[in-house]
Amino acid sequence: AIDYIESIGYEKIQKIENEVVIYAREQLSKLDYIELYLTPNKENHSAVISFNIKGVHPHDVASILDRYGVCVRSGNHCAQPLTRSIGLDSTCRASFYFYNTKEDVDAFIDCLASIRGRMGYE
């Protein structure tokens, strides 16, 4: 695994990951039904994006996304004191890496819109 990562190069991996995460943040920020839980510091942000769909339980979101082949986690992500301090029981968490593309982000966004519709929201 180390040889594989080194064959790609850490700088290239970081560049690709940053581009995809910035794109995902931009696209998710456009959706008024998505609540994002992010640091405002885009330069110091990881490839993990925590979010909720307003009015839809995070576990339902994760289950439905799974049916579309989109993998996210739901829960308190070993950060229960933090989630409780911001008034939440759980969130969804999407994680991106160098093998993800902007097309993956677009498919993810389309699935989120579909979930919103399936749950009776327009």
Side-chain angles (χ1 to χ4, degrees), residues 4-5 11 19 23 40 73 84-86 92 94 105 107 112 119:
Y4 174 68
I5 295 291
E11 287 182 18
E19 289 173 1
Y23 181 72
R73 302 271 324 256
R84 295 294 186 272
S85 74
I86 59 175
C92 289
V105 173
L112 293 176
M119 299 304 283

Side-chain angles (χ1 to χ4, degrees), residues 28-83:
L28 287 165
S29 295
K30 293 177 185 177
L31 305 175
D32 63 353
Y33 56 87
I34 297 291
E35 193 74 43
L36 293 171
Y37 311 102
L38 304 167
T39 177
N41 183 349
K42 293 179 185 176
E43 288 74 38
N44 195 27
H45 189 269
S46 72
V48 175
I49 298 177
S50 293
F51 69 96
N52 280 329
I53 296 179
K54 294 176 184 175
V56 183
H57 195 281
H59 297 315
D60 293 334
V61 172
S63 293
I64 296 168
L65 284 173
D66 182 57
R67 291 182 184 192
Y68 289 111
V70 176
C71 298
V72 299
R73 302 271 324 256
S74 63
N76 58 45
H77 315 294
C78 298
Q80 190 172 22
L82 173 63
T83 55

